[in-house]
Amino acid sequence: MSQAYNTALRISFEVRGGLIMRQMHHWAALLFMAAIVVHMFRVFFTGAFRKPRELNWIIGTLLFWMGFLEGFCGYSLPDDALSGTGLRIASAIMLSIPVVGTWVTTSLFGGEFPGTVILDRLYITHVLLVPAVILALITVHMGLLVKQKHTQWPGPGRTNRNVVGVRMFPGFAAKGGGFFMIVFAVIAFLGGLFQINPIWLFGPYKASVVSAASQPDWYVMFLDGSTRLMPAWEFRFHLFGHGYTMAPVFWPTVVLPGILTMLPMFYPFIEARFTKDKAIHHLLQRPRDVPVRTGLGAMSIAFFVVLLASGGNDVIADKLHLSLNATTWAGRIGLLLLPPLAYYVAHRTALGLQQHDREVLARTRGAGERRLGRTEEDEPGGRPPAGGARLLLPDRAAARADAAGRGTHLARADPRGDRHRPALTQVDTKKARLTPGLLRCQAQLANDLPVSSSVLRSLRTQAWPPPAPWSSNAPETIAASAGAPSSSWVRVSEQTPS
Ligand code: HEM
């Protein structure tokens, strides 16, 4: 067995706490990559990558690939049968690169695979070079974040020109510290109780030994999947009087990752070009309000999931007693059908949710008055009784509801936001079910109780600032998505009896 494998075994069984450290380190790597991917989705689906944050997005995609490389270098170090197989595949991928492949492999492995220097080189890359690059990129990433400020959800007082949030010290720092402790506890829990990468079961790597069910860590599996689904198409060509062969593994493991790096990396510019959107954006968007982007996001997730599942098609075939050929073809057909289907479903769902918003707006604008009875127009002197709930709706929503003949002209909003007597409409909680506060209001009305100030307070807190800015049914979000200028935002105010 190699020195590397021996050392890893000794860390596991001879060094006190060595095994839990190894396990925590491996679980942390899996969570690190999962956190990066979730963060990337958050940024993508809410449009936080738009101008001026394109550069931070590009740095982010580099961080993803650096995390990928760091993980691969790390789990290749113990030199057990599994990591050795991974290195073997890596050398085959390098060899498949036309013209320069053999040079790259020889220089990296110091000769024919497995060579004698690769583990030393991977070691220093893993413990120093890549962490330094990641640290540098994160520093730039955070620097840009501090300079550009964080995006925010639209809401009362939140505009494209300001940032509403918690101060870094002490609020955010304390929250960040608490979150760090929780993440550490989860990793320690996993490292202590859930076995991972048991190299003593795999045995030392021998180049002549390869076993089935050799899967890499989850963030590399899509590359394994793409390789397994690629048909054995070999291309031969001549260049400068030499014949070259382009092995089938070249496409799914070199060309595809190249596309999967460039496309996401330049996506902000591609979207800005198609939408002709050159504006600066500090406000986030709800996925339902951008159906095409949401559809594209769902499509790429489906693409990755099919590839990821195909990376374990031998295990699936074994567990489900299917032929490996069947699972391979299922993956190929799935890769062609599922992404466009995911696009269609996500796109239609987003349009459906938009339609739902419009209905809620139209309903909240119209029917509410009747149920809660008196509105300011009904009252002599035009003010609702104390304790009445009030909602200011944007013009366009009101106009649309009016155009559809669904309501009375009560809720026409005064865009100047007339401080003295804004035109307000009562909310029909039975129909609207907008927020928990309104539901409580409904409950009190149902029990014939006056709408208590606590409900109004919760309604106000609901709207100022909104508790869950992206909760799709919050009137302010609906109002926002209906394009209300921030000044005529939903404002729930208690009318003080004159
Ligand atoms: C090691 C990996 C990464 C770390 C440690 C990291 C860290 C952070 C943190 C702490 C924030 C501010 C809080 C937040 O928005 O969640 C942020 C914002 C951001 N990140 Fe990352 N990130 C990483 C990877 C990525 C990736 C992979 C992408 C995209 C491909 C990305 C794109 C962005 C963008 C565009 C922002 C600004 C978002 C905004 O202002 O709302 N980051 N990053």
Side-chain angles (χ1 to χ4, degrees):
M1 74 171 74
S2 66
Q3 181 60 16
Y5 185 68
N6 183 16
T7 319
L9 282 182
R10 287 182 46 216
I11 293 172
S12 311
F13 298 121
E14 292 173 22
V15 176
R16 187 183 295 273
L19 183 57
I20 190 166
M21 276 304 130
R22 268 203 59 231
Q23 301 238 135
M24 282 175 70
H25 187 62
H26 205 123
W27 278 117
L30 300 183
L31 279 178
F32 178 61
M33 289 309 289
I36 291 179
V37 170
V38 171
H39 173 59
M40 194 171 8
F41 287 164
R42 191 292 288 180
V43 170
F44 178 83
F45 285 107
T46 58
F49 57 79
R50 292 171 299 162
K51 198 174 184 178
R53 291 176 181 79
E54 301 97 329
L55 180 59
N56 230 355
W57 171 266
I58 290 175
I59 291 171
T61 49
L62 291 176
L63 275 166
F64 170 82
W65 285 111
M66 278 298 130
F68 177 99
L69 180 64
E70 179 67 354
F72 177 76
C73 292
Y75 75 64
S76 302
L77 286 178
D79 196 26
D80 58 282
L82 184 60
S83 67
T85 309
L87 269 183
R88 176 94 204 180
I89 295 171
S91 85
I93 294 171
M94 288 178 222
L95 277 173
S96 77
I97 303 171
V99 185
V100 294
T102 46
W103 300 96
V104 173
T105 320
T106 318
S107 51
L108 263 180
F109 284 85
E112 271 286 319
F113 176 87
T116 51
V117 293
I118 187 64
L119 289 177
D120 305 346
R121 291 178 179 174
L122 284 174
Y123 181 75
I124 203 62
T125 312
H126 181 70
V127 300
L128 182 68
L129 299 179
V130 176
V133 174
I134 289 181
L135 215 56
L137 285 174
I138 291 178
T139 313
V140 179
H141 200 59
M142 291 300 104
L144 280 171
L145 185 79
V146 172
K147 181 171 175 327
Q148 294 167 342
K149 299 291 175 272
H150 201 281
T151 52
Q152 59 186 2
W153 285 101
R158 297 159 183 246
T159 68
N160 212 28
R161 290 182 304 283
N162 69 4
V163 180
V164 178
V166 186
R167 285 187 178 288
M168 178 58 101
F169 292 100
F172 195 80
K175 220 165 81 178
F179 194 54
F180 170 84
M181 295 300 173
I182 294 170
V183 172
F184 186 87
V186 168
I187 291 172
F189 175 77
L190 290 170
L193 294 181
F194 297 92
Q195 176 176 278
I196 189 163
N197 201 24
I199 55 167
W200 50 94
L201 298 181
F202 304 150
Y205 176 64
K206 295 191 187 79
S208 56
V209 177
V210 171
S211 79
S214 299
Q215 269 70 38
D217 282 356
W218 75 266
Y219 49 87
V220 182
M221 255 173 93
F222 75 94
L223 268 190
D224 229 53
S226 61
T227 314
R228 291 170 189 231
L229 298 186
M230 179 68 196
W233 295 340
E234 205 171 69
F235 295 89
R236 300 206 168 139
F237 61 96
H238 280 276
L239 196 67
F240 314 119
H242 296 284
Y244 291 96
T245 307
M246 217 184 274
V249 74
F250 172 67
W251 305 102
T253 57
V254 180
V255 177
L256 182 69
I259 296 170
L260 293 179
T261 307
M262 290 306 148
L263 258 184
M265 198 179 257
F266 294 106
Y267 179 81
F269 306 101
I270 299 168
E271 183 182 290
R273 189 171 180 79
F274 278 96
T275 57
K276 300 191 177 35
D277 176 2
K278 297 194 173 46
I280 296 261
H281 296 283
H282 296 305
L283 291 178
L284 296 166
Q285 295 170 305
R286 297 178 311 162
R288 70 183 60 194
D289 297 328
V290 268
V292 174
R293 184 197 302 149
T294 306
L296 289 174
M299 190 155 96
S300 48
I301 293 173
F303 185 80
F304 269 97
V305 169
V306 172
L307 288 182
L308 197 146
S310 304
N313 66 354
D314 54 343
V315 178
I316 297 170
D318 177 44
K319 296 290 177 236
L320 301 180
H321 307 293
L322 297 169
S323 81
L324 186 60
N325 217 16
T327 53
T328 306
W329 274 104
R332 286 176 182 156
I333 297 165
L335 202 60
L336 295 175
L337 292 184
L338 291 178
L341 184 68
Y343 178 91
Y344 177 76
V345 172
H347 189 267
R348 296 307 305 175
T349 312
L351 292 178
L353 289 170
Q354 284 186 20
Q355 179 56 28
H356 162 76
D357 290 348
R358 278 192 286 278
E359 284 162 12
V360 168
L361 267 179
R363 260 205 312 266
T364 44
R365 208 189 75 61
E369 296 115 23
R370 274 187 306 288
R371 191 152 306 279
L372 289 179
R374 299 191 301 279
T375 61
E376 81 187 38
E377 276 75 17
D378 299 346
E379 294 295 319
R383 287 187 174 284
R390 295 180 164 274
L391 197 65
L392 173 67
L393 284 177
D395 283 3
R396 269 187 277 162
R400 251 201 314 274
D402 277 349
R406 259 207 313 264
T408 63
H409 302 283
L410 291 176
R412 195 153 296 293
D414 173 343
R416 286 161 307 145
D418 171 5
R419 267 182 304 287
H420 306 299
R421 267 194 83 228
L424 303 170
T425 305
Q426 307 268 349
V427 172
D428 172 11
T429 51
K430 262 222 168 50
K431 287 235 170 95
R433 287 184 197 280
L434 286 180
T435 62
L438 286 169
L439 284 172
R440 228 173 300 130
C441 169
Q442 176 192 16
Q444 282 177 314
L445 282 167
N447 304 324
D448 243 354
L449 296 169
V451 180
S452 70
S453 51
S454 66
V455 170
L456 286 175
R457 243 195 322 284
S458 72
L459 285 175
R460 188 178 308 125
T461 43
Q462 292 287 342
W464 196 268
W470 59 80
S471 71
S472 59
N473 290 341
E476 53 278 82
T477 324
I478 298 175
S481 63
S486 60
S487 62
S488 66
W489 268 104
V490 173
R491 182 186 302 279
V492 174
S493 59
E494 243 166 65
Q495 288 292 323
T496 47
S498 50

